[in-house]
Amino acid sequence: MYGDSATVRKILTESGDTWAVVGLSSNRSRAAYGVAQVLQRFGKRVVPVHPKAETVHGEQGYASLADIPFEVDVVDVFVNSDLAGAVADEAVAKGAKAVWFQLGVIDETAYERTRAAGLEMVMDRCPAIEIPRLGRG
């Protein structure tokens, strides 16, 4: 388990309200679309990061984390595990406080690098599942 309950709670409640969701597009059938809605209902600002840079859920999209012209608190990663490590490294470079790898997204070396850089990190978990467990949301 990568990310105990205390880390999950800390990221969701203390790490900040601007979440870059990497892999979020306007495709309603993708998990990122629904999870982003849950995050918004929970009070988070969701910033789409996708090569198409589409506006999703009323928020301007960006092609990469580096293109976002403001600070990001948490980077939520909806890409294949083989691409996730590079995104985690971009999150560190961007100055994010935390990285969240979604269900099925696993890269143990990225987890170690990200934690070593001082960021909180959760891997193979979903905020849409974890938020109701907080007792609110």
Side-chain angles (χ1 to χ4, degrees), residues 52-73:
K52 293 180 184 175
E54 299 172 301
T55 296
V56 184
H57 300 312
E59 287 284 347
Q60 167 66 48
Y62 297 91
S64 71
L65 286 174
D67 290 343
I68 300 173
F70 48 83
E71 290 187 9
V72 168
D73 300 310

Side-chain angles (χ1 to χ4, degrees), residues 50-136:
H50 189 278
K52 293 180 184 175
E54 299 172 301
T55 296
V56 184
H57 300 312
E59 287 284 347
Q60 167 66 48
Y62 297 91
S64 71
L65 286 174
D67 290 343
I68 300 173
F70 48 83
E71 290 187 9
V72 168
D73 300 310
V74 180
V75 176
D76 190 3
V77 182
F78 279 93
V79 299
N80 292 331
S81 295
D82 58 341
L83 303 173
V87 176
D89 295 339
E90 290 172 32
V92 171
K94 181 72 180 164
K97 298 180 187 115
V99 174
W100 191 301
F101 280 11
Q102 283 294 142
L103 288 173
V105 180
I106 300 169
D107 183 331
E108 294 176 10
T109 57
Y111 180 87
E112 297 301 328
R113 281 196 315 273
T114 304
R115 296 288 295 135
L119 283 69
E120 298 289 341
M121 184 159 178
V122 171
M123 188 163 65
D124 196 25
R125 303 281 284 269
C126 178
I129 294 169
E130 302 300 334
I131 286 169
R133 293 179 180 168
L134 295 173
R136 58 175 223 191

Side-chain angles (χ1 to χ4, degrees), residues 9-28:
R9 178 176 291 277
K10 183 174 184 182
I11 293 172
L12 288 171
T13 63
E14 300 173 27
S15 293
D17 291 334
T18 302
W19 284 50
V21 181
V22 179
L24 174 58
S25 71
S26 61
N27 183 343
R28 294 171 182 264

